[in-house]
Each structure stands twice: as structure tokens, then as C-alpha cells.
Amino acid sequence: MELQKRTVFIVSDGTGITAETFGHSVLSQFTHKFSFDQEREPFVNSPERAKDVAQKINEVAERDDLPPIVFSTIVDEDINTFLRTSKCIYMDIFAACVHQLEESLNTKSDPGIGRSHINATSDAYRRRIEAINFTLAHDDGQFVHDLEHADVIFVGVSRCGKTPTSLYLAMQYSVKAANFPLIPEDFVRGTLPNTLLPHRHKLFGLSINPERLHEVRQERRPGSVYAELSQCKYEVAEAERMMRRENISWLSTTTKSIEEISTTVLKILNLDRKSY
């Protein structure tokens, strides 16, 4: 069945991350019948900018002969008016929640642009930058100092998802995450790398289905021993055996998104962190 195409605008007075995340979640429920072309319009924080975006929306409506879908996190009502009156299906993400809370709390809200994100001069922002720098420096076992400052140290075979999970936790939760590959030499020796032994309580293992690992490695190094299915099966089996022997909590990344993996890690390790 051919999917119907619809245009979607992500409009925000800030970066648009909130609107985009919400929009993707909602639209994912309709991908069995529709494909969505996305237009991002961040920093719509003036009437002039809103007029320009409204004109784009109207032009797309004429071109497609269908009203585009708009997900908005605009908080200024005057700016909102330009967009709401354009030829679109307008999804005001904040409005319904804010109005209901105003009634429940018996208090008017005090709208402000960008309040859902941290300020670049705040302590929270500084902690996030520190976590990102730490995570980048401690990627793939390349830097073994200061591991006592890590919140979590991921271990697992090469290409099982350690790096993207580490970066996601750093960027979203200010978690200082290091990661170390488990390599055939570790399996022959039968022990964890000496560098990790003092930090055993911070270790978390990631694994992956060998067939999926074979596919990923084939894209990176096609035809190599590193990518052979037999090598992948050996490394995954040995890594999981080592994690069980060392009593390291672990999970398979094969069918899980980075968000699911990260949420599980935060819960198991009891890392109570606020998302930004």
C-alpha cells in the first residue's frame, strides 16, 4: 500500500526539541498509512518571524491542496495568533496542559520563552557540558584516568551501542559515562581489564544479537575477520559469560532504542537524574 504524504511543521520560539520529540511520538501512531515530510522552524520569537512561517505554511497548503500539520510550543499568544490562523491543523502542545493546570491550581501561568530548557549560564548547563566532555574523553577506553568520577562505565563487545548510549546519557541527563570494549584478549585472559577492577560497582554491560552485530560490523569493515559471523558469535558469548561471572548487570541492545537502554540503566543503577 502506498503511503499518503503529509507535510509537518515543527514550530517553536526556542530550539524546537520539545515540539519535535512530541510530534514524532504522536505521528509514529499513523505511519501505517502516512509518510511525513518535516519542516523545522525554530526561534519563532517575533511577530515578523511568525508572519514568515505562516506564509510558508499557507504556501505548502496551496501546493499540497491539504493543510499541513503544525506542532507548536510557542508561548506568546500574539505570535501564536499568526500561526493558528494560517491554513493548517494547529497542535498547540502547551495550551491544553497549561489551561488545565491554571484551573486546577487557580493561578495564571507566567509564559516565558525557553523555560523548558536550561540556561547556558546555569549550574545545570555547566554539569551537562562537563558530562559530555568526560564522556567524549573516556570513549572506547581511550582515557583511563579519573574513572572514579564516572557515574557509569559501560562494557561490551565492539559496536554493541556503548558510545551512543554514553553520549545520550551525558547530553540528556548529565551522566558522566565511560565505556570500554571487551576484546578477545580479555576472553583469553578470563578477567576484566585491570583498569576496571577498582570500579566494578560502576560497571554495566551491553550485549547484542550476534547476527545483528555481524551486520553492523560488515558495514564498518566488510569482509574482515572482525565482521565474520563466527567471530561475532564467539565474542558475544564470551562477553556475556564474563558479565555473568563478574555479576555485572547487563542487557541486550538488539531491539531497544537508546532511550529505552538509558532509562533502564538509570533505574538499575539508581541514578536519579533530571532530563533537560
Side-chain angles (χ1 to χ4, degrees):
M1 181 182 69
E2 186 176 354
L3 298 177
Q4 301 177 49
K5 293 184 179 181
R6 296 298 294 266
T7 302
V8 177
F9 281 82
I10 304 295
V11 183
S12 173
D13 47 25
T15 62
I17 292 173
T18 301
E20 188 167 16
T21 301
F22 181 85
H24 284 175
S25 296
V26 173
L27 295 175
S28 68
Q29 310 304 309
F30 300 91
T31 52
H32 62 298
K33 286 192 175 181
F34 294 90
S35 66
F36 299 102
D37 293 329
Q38 180 180 298
E39 303 271 353
R40 295 184 75 251
E41 294 291 347
F43 307 117
V44 182
N45 50 21
S46 69
E48 293 73 25
R49 177 89 169 96
K51 289 178 184 177
D52 289 341
V53 174
Q55 183 176 340
K56 287 183 183 179
I57 292 171
N58 290 336
E59 289 172 354
V60 169
E62 285 191 28
R63 182 197 70 194
D64 297 346
D65 198 25
L66 285 169
I69 302 165
V70 176
F71 289 97
S72 169
T73 51
I74 303 288
V75 296
D76 186 286
E77 192 54 39
D78 291 334
I79 294 176
N80 244 330
T81 300
F82 289 105
L83 301 167
R84 189 177 286 111
T85 55
S86 62
K87 300 174 183 177
C88 68
I89 302 169
Y90 197 69
M91 311 292 290
D92 192 335
I93 295 172
F94 284 163
C97 296
V98 170
H99 292 163
Q100 186 172 344
L101 274 176
E102 285 178 335
E103 293 180 2
S104 299
L105 300 175
N106 196 28
T107 302
K108 292 295 292 181
S109 61
D110 180 23
I113 294 174
R115 286 185 180 172
S116 61
H117 300 286
I118 58 178
N119 188 286
T121 61
S122 67
D123 288 340
Y125 186 81
R126 176 184 54 77
R127 287 193 298 271
R128 184 166 71 178
I129 295 302
E130 288 178 354
I132 292 171
N133 286 334
F134 181 93
T135 298
L136 289 172
H138 293 81
D139 180 45
D140 208 29
Q142 62 182 336
F143 191 68
V144 297
H145 303 292
D146 297 328
L147 287 177
E148 65 273 14
H149 299 304
D151 296 308
V152 59
I153 303 171
F154 289 109
V155 294
V157 299
S158 172
R159 314 308 294 180
C160 71
K162 300 184 299 300
T163 295
T165 302
S166 297
L167 287 173
Y168 180 84
L169 283 168
M171 294 176 70
Q172 295 296 321
Y173 296 95
S174 299
V175 168
K176 293 182 178 178
N179 72 79
F180 274 74
L182 295 178
I183 58 177
E185 286 81 354
D186 297 322
F187 308 141
V188 172
R189 191 173 59 251
T191 61
L192 290 167
N194 291 334
T195 306
L196 299 180
L197 295 179
H199 311 288
R200 189 188 303 265
H201 61 292
K202 297 182 178 182
L203 301 184
F204 194 96
L206 298 181
S207 189
I208 189 172
N209 177 277
E211 285 74 19
R212 176 57 184 150
L213 181 62
H214 167 64
E215 293 174 2
V216 173
R217 288 186 174 183
Q218 272 290 95
E219 293 176 1
R220 185 174 178 82
R221 297 183 193 170
S224 65
V225 173
Y226 167 81
E228 287 180 358
L229 180 58
S230 58
Q231 180 68 20
C232 294
K233 288 181 177 180
Y234 165 74
E235 290 188 29
V236 169
E238 289 297 320
E240 292 182 358
R241 185 177 294 113
M242 178 176 288
M243 288 186 275
R244 286 192 292 268
R245 186 174 64 245
E246 299 289 342
N247 198 28
I248 298 171
S249 297
W250 63 279
L251 59 82
S252 174
T253 64
T254 309
T255 60
K256 290 182 171 61
S257 66
I258 293 174
E259 293 85 354
E260 290 176 301
I261 299 166
S262 299
T263 300
T264 302
V265 170
L266 291 171
K267 183 175 181 180
I268 291 177
L269 296 183
N270 197 28
L271 293 174
D272 185 15
R273 294 298 170 87
K274 179 181 178 182
S275 174
Y276 299 106

